[in-house]
Amino acid sequence: MQTIAELIDAQGELTPASLIPLLQATQKEYGYVTDQAIAGISRAIKVPRSTIYGVATFYNQFRLVPLGEHVIEICRGTACHVRGSGLLCDHLRRRLKLQKNGNSRDGRFSLLTPACLGACSIASVIRVNGEFHGNMDENRLDALIDELSR
Ligand code: FES
C-alpha cells in the first residue's frame, strides 16, 4: 500500500487543481479519504483542510469513513429507479439501521448508491461484494442479507 507522501509524489507538479486527483488516488488506495491524507494534501497543495473537507463532502464519489465488511451497492440509475431501487435502499437502511454515512454501527455493512451499474436489462440491480444480482426485490434482498449475517 502506498503512503500518502508517495501518492502525492506520484502526482508530479502540484497545484490546487491537483486536489480531486489526489482525493481519488487516496480513496483508490485506502477505500476512503483518511484524515491523514487530508492533512498531507493540505500541506502539499497549500489549500486549507476545511476547503478539502468541503470538496470531499460535496462530491458523492468520496467517502470519509472506511467501508464495512460487506459492501452493498444499490443502483440508482434510471432503469433501476423505475423498478423500485429507491424502495430497496429504504428497506435496507431500515433493516440494517444504517447511519447517515451508509455504514451499520457494527461495521459489517455499507450501502453505496452508484449511478448505472451497466446491467439495466436486469433492473433492479444490486452488487454485493462485487457480485451482481438482478431483478432484485425486498424478499431477495432480505435473503442475501440473511446469508451475509450468518
Ligand atoms: S440503471 Fe441500474 S444497471 Fe443501469
Side-chain angles (χ1 to χ4, degrees):
M1 186 175 278
Q2 286 191 293
T3 65
I4 302 301
E6 288 168 340
L7 292 175
I8 291 169
D9 281 349
Q11 288 296 315
E13 191 184 339
L14 296 171
T15 69
S18 308
L19 176 55
I20 297 288
L22 282 168
L23 290 173
Q24 288 169 331
T26 302
Q27 181 152 300
K28 189 170 176 211
E29 192 69 18
Y30 295 96
Y32 72 109
V33 179
T34 66
D35 288 338
Q36 187 195 3
I38 288 179
I41 293 169
S42 172
R43 280 192 299 275
I45 64 172
K46 298 176 180 43
V47 169
R49 286 185 199 197
S50 56
T51 303
I52 298 176
Y53 276 108
V55 170
T57 52
F58 178 79
Y59 290 104
N60 206 19
Q61 67 175 295
F62 297 120
R63 292 180 55 81
L64 295 172
V65 292
L67 288 169
E69 180 187 346
H70 300 294
V71 178
I72 300 161
E73 299 169 84
I74 298 182
C75 178
R76 63 179 168 84
T78 305
C80 289
H81 179 74
V82 299
R83 306 271 322 253
S85 65
L87 297 173
L88 292 175
C89 286
D90 293 344
H91 181 70
L92 197 66
R93 286 189 183 104
R94 274 195 308 273
R95 169 157 181 186
L96 297 177
K97 298 182 174 61
L98 297 178
Q99 304 171 93
K100 239 182 156 187
N101 62 22
N103 287 352
S104 59
R105 284 194 191 285
D106 61 7
R108 293 204 65 202
F109 295 96
S110 291
L111 169 64
L112 302 179
T113 55
C116 180
L117 285 171
C120 312
S121 62
I122 55 168
S124 266
V125 179
I126 75 169
R127 190 163 52 188
V128 180
N129 299 327
E131 189 176 313
F132 280 79
H133 301 267
N135 303 309
M136 190 53 53
D137 60 27
E138 289 184 12
N139 291 335
R140 294 191 62 220
L141 181 57
D142 277 338
L144 282 170
I145 300 302
D146 289 345
E147 206 173 294
L148 293 171
S149 298
R150 284 188 200 122

